[in-house]
């Protein structure tokens, strides 16, 4: 299927999605530390973006890292473990602030390139779709059609579509950008009344088990702002 991922992609690049649940009284402290010392981490590998949750989740930080392949990630993790500045200035002080960590490995779907917002200052919507077992061979074309319907109408800006390889399988993360929460709400309302979007979504939801939407605010240190 054209949505197939993993070894059937054109390259070995993958993305590690890391999600941290922060202890509620410590969120401000964690974000300040992250902004201050992230340059020590990005000296080792490329950060795509990092955000804090505003709606749909609380006290959560999401960041996405890009790797050339699994050997590249292993080398980076080894270097980080031996980086005394990173360990001493961020990791050891930050660990007591974190309640839970979660990570996934995901690939960009082959028909999607990682995008950028047209300008800084907007908000991001992180939408997680849990699709029915069977993978892209079952639901890939319908899912792609639903995403394209939203893109083609111009109600929102697509940043990326990721399909999990490690973590909960048959999970797709879609990142959208909007100028503001109100702009997103207006676009959502228009999409619900647009026959093109409704038809595409109606076809794709046959394969959907669940969906979660989270509104994200980019951190000061995020490459995607």
């Amino acid at each position: 299927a054209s949505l197939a991922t993993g070894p059937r992609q054109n390259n070995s690049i993958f993305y590690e999605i890391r999600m941290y649940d922060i202890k509620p009284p410590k969120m401000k402290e964690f974000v300040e530390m992250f902004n201050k010392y992230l340059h020590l981490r990005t000296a080792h590998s490329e950060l795509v973006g990092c955000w804090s949750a505003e709606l749909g989740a609380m006290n959560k930080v999401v960041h996405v890292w890009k790797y050339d392949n699994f050997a590249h990630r292993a080398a980076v993790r080894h270097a980080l473990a031996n980086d005394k500045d990173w360990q001493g200035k961020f990791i050891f002080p930050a660990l007591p602030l974190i309640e839970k960590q979660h990570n996934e490995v995901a690939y960009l779907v082959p028909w999607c390139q990682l995008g950028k917002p047209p300008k800084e200052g907007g908000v991001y919507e992180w939408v997680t779709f849990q699709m029915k077992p069977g993978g892209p061979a079952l639901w890939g074309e319908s899912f792609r059609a639903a995403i394209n319907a939203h893109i083609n109408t111009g109600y929102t800006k697509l940043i990326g579509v990721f399909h999990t390889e490690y973590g909960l399988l048959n999970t797709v993360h879609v990142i959208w950008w909007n100028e503001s929460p109100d702009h997103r709400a207006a676009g959502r309302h228009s999409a619900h009344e647009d026959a093109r979007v409704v038809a595409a979504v109606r076809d794709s939801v046959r394969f959907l088990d669940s969906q979660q939407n989270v509104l994200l605010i980019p951190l000061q240190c995020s490459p995607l702002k």
Side-chain angles (χ1 to χ4, degrees):
S2 63
L3 191 63
T5 61
R8 288 167 290 193
Q9 287 194 163
N10 293 328
N11 56 56
S12 58
I13 291 172
F14 68 84
Y15 299 82
E16 183 176 6
I17 299 167
R18 299 180 71 92
M19 299 184 178
Y20 293 173
D21 288 345
I22 310 302
K23 294 177 181 178
K26 302 297 185 179
M27 184 66 179
K28 183 175 183 292
E29 182 180 351
F30 181 88
V31 169
E32 288 176 349
M33 286 179 57
F34 204 84
N35 282 323
K36 184 175 182 179
Y37 294 116
L38 186 68
H39 68 281
L40 299 174
R41 174 62 184 83
T42 53
H44 293 276
S45 65
E46 181 181 347
L47 175 68
V48 174
C50 53
W51 306 265
S52 62
E54 181 72 12
L55 296 171
M58 297 183 69
N59 304 303
K60 183 183 289 289
V61 173
V62 180
H63 36 125
V64 179
W65 298 89
K66 180 181 179 180
Y67 293 101
D68 297 335
N69 48 46
F70 288 99
H72 178 213
R73 181 186 184 274
V76 168
R77 301 303 297 175
H78 178 77
L80 288 169
N82 291 283
D83 186 328
K84 293 182 179 179
D85 267 358
W86 174 243
Q87 294 292 326
K89 292 179 179 178
F90 181 79
I91 292 297
F92 293 140
L95 284 177
L97 314 182
I98 300 172
E99 204 160 63
K100 186 170 62 175
Q101 292 175 283
H102 173 77
N103 77 328
E104 297 177 353
V105 166
Y107 292 96
L108 273 175
V109 296
W111 46 267
C112 171
Q113 293 184 345
L114 196 61
K116 292 184 177 181
K119 61 181 180 180
E120 293 186 2
V123 297
Y124 292 77
E125 184 175 11
W126 184 288
V127 187
T128 299
F129 298 92
Q130 186 58 43
M131 308 302 291
K132 293 185 182 299
L138 175 67
W139 42 259
E141 290 303 322
S142 293
F143 188 88
R144 179 179 182 178
I147 295 297
N148 283 336
H150 285 84
I151 295 171
N152 294 337
T153 54
Y155 298 132
T156 184
K157 165 71 175 177
L158 180 68
I159 300 299
V161 182
F162 302 87
H163 181 212
T164 56
E165 182 76 7
Y166 287 101
L168 189 60
L169 296 184
N170 296 294
T171 301
V172 184
H173 301 290
V174 183
I175 307 176
W176 301 97
W177 179 89
N178 288 282
E179 291 184 13
S180 68
D182 285 320
H183 182 266
R184 183 264 182 195
R188 187 83 165 172
H189 179 77
S190 297
H192 286 166
E193 296 184 341
D194 191 313
R196 297 166 295 176
V197 177
V198 171
V201 169
R202 182 181 291 126
D203 182 62
S204 68
V205 296
R206 297 180 293 133
F207 306 108
L208 180 66
D209 276 341
S210 65
Q211 175 181 338
Q212 182 182 17
N213 295 35
V214 180
L215 189 73
L216 300 175
I217 305 298
L219 298 186
Q220 178 185 335
C221 57
S222 177
L224 286 176
K225 286 186 169 60

